[in-house]
Amino acid sequence: MLSKKTKYALHALTYLGKHRENKTVLIQDIAEEHGISHKFLENILLELRKAGYLGSKKGKGGGYYLIKEPKDIPLSRVIRLLDGPIALLPCVSLNYYEPCAECKDEAHCGINKVMIQVRDETLKILENKSLQDILDEE
């Protein structure tokens, strides 16, 4: 399951994508629209800014805005940024691999083999879906 942090990030990105013509959006507007704590949302938006998805402007007319096109924001990268691995088990993770402590022989582990298939199919979808796909569905 996605963490609240990632769900809130996706809601914030979607809100920013819908309001791109306004140039900047206040954190308070996103927080109120989606019932998110202002402070928690601020931390999420800072992570997204550091990752190169958002820009920010201070002062009058300030706020956050997308600096990438929605089609150039893959869901897989947002999820990995905020939640870490997409794989359900550490022994099948491409970026965060760790052997499972309880597994005696990973090469012959049926759970490992099935979870690799789950990971691959999940990645196939998430790497080909972007913020634009969410905007298109709304």
Side-chain angles (χ1 to χ4, degrees), residues 53-122:
Y53 297 115
L54 303 180
S56 64
K57 181 180 172 191
K58 293 184 181 192
K60 187 175 180 172
Y64 282 90
Y65 55 93
L66 292 177
I67 58 173
K68 289 190 174 201
E69 290 295 317
K71 68 179 178 56
D72 296 326
I73 302 176
L75 298 183
S76 61
R77 290 199 187 139
V78 174
I79 293 168
R80 277 191 176 126
L81 172 69
L82 299 165
D83 276 351
I86 290 171
L88 298 177
L89 293 174
C91 65
V92 300
S93 179
L94 295 174
N95 297 315
Y96 302 91
Y97 173 84
E98 288 181 24
C100 292
E102 62 279 351
C103 188
K104 294 179 175 146
D105 184 8
E106 190 176 295
H108 296 96
C109 178
I111 296 169
N112 175 278
K113 301 300 177 237
V114 170
M115 290 298 118
I116 287 173
Q117 293 171 8
V118 171
R119 176 207 65 205
D120 290 347
E121 292 303 312
T122 302

Side-chain angles (χ1 to χ4, degrees), residues 20-37:
R20 287 176 45 210
E21 71 282 352
N22 298 345
K23 302 291 184 218
T24 60
V25 174
L26 296 173
I27 293 175
Q28 192 60 36
D29 293 344
I30 302 169
E32 286 176 8
E33 176 75 18
H34 294 287
I36 305 169
S37 153

